[in-house]
């Protein structure tokens, strides 16, 4: 989803959710090209990958229907990814209304709740039609998940989460993210579904770029 597409109606969002990801075979044998399937950043951005690992980032937004559709494929890819990859998700904010969901993500991460609740956030937004885009809506939903709301609020409003949100925005700007879902590799490369053709191809572009990064 591009910056200019955030006014999707419920009907168009539902249509987007029904679109299947392209089969992996469609991208087999392709020669991925800079400027077409991906871009090389003019100025590399700092990574958080430990020594000897290559950072791969998914930029996403919980309310994006395309991110919701992509999530199962991404999760499966992560589980089978090479051990030398440092994979992480970064929630974007194209305007101030996105910030509560950024804070939701980082608060869940800080409390160790992402493994059990990350997919449930997507389900709440896209299946149950709960916007989860304001603090009180988020707190109410969190309480229904059996999480200590007082503790969650403490983490949600903490300096740590505020700092993570700030860094996420800096990283988003560094990669010049134009839409989600999209992916960054090694602090040097960026790709998305528009460039690669579809999100399944994006994962193959990422694998190609990881190979390039391994060579230095």
């Amino acid at each position: 989803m591009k910056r200019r597409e955030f006014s999707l109606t419920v009907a168009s969002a539902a249509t987007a959710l029904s679109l299947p990801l392209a089969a992996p075979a469609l991208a087999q044998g392709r020669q991925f090209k800079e400027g077409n399937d991906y871009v090389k950043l003019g100025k590399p951005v700092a990574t958080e990958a430990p020594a000897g690992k290559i950072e791969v980032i998914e930029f996403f937004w919980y309310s994006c229907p395309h991110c919701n559709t992509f999530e199962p494929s991404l999760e499966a890819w992560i589980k089978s990814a090479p051990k030398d990859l440092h994979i992480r998700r970064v929630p974007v904010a194209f305007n101030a209304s996105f910030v509560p969901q950024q804070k939701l993500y980082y608060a869940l991460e800080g409390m160790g709740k992402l493994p059990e609740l990350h997919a449930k956030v997507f389900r709440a937004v896209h299946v149950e039609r709960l916007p989860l885009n304001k603090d009180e809506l988020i707190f109410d939903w969190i309480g229904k998940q059996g999480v200590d709301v007082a503790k969650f609020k403490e983490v949600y409003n903490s300096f740590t989460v505020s700092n993570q949100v700030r860094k996420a925005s800096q990283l988003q700007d560094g990669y010049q993210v134009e839409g989600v879902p999209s992916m960054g590799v090694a602090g040097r490369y960026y790709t998305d579904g528009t460039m690669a053709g579809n999100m399944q191809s994006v994962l193959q572009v990422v694998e190609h770029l990881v190979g390039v990064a391994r060579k230095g």
Side-chain angles (χ1 to χ4, degrees), residues 114 116-125 128 132 141 145:
L114 272 181
E116 64 181 277
L117 293 181
H118 180 66
K120 288 185 178 181
V121 177
F122 276 115
R123 178 176 177 80
V125 173
E128 299 168 17
L132 299 187
W141 182 80
Q145 308 312 306

Side-chain angles (χ1 to χ4, degrees), residues 1 5 7-20 63-66 68-69 125-127 129:
M1 180 178 285
E5 296 175 1
S7 60
L8 276 174
T9 63
V10 171
S12 61
T15 299
L17 285 174
S18 69
L19 296 176
S63 291
C64 166
H66 307 298
N68 177 62
T69 302
V125 173
H126 298 281
V127 178
R129 300 299 179 187

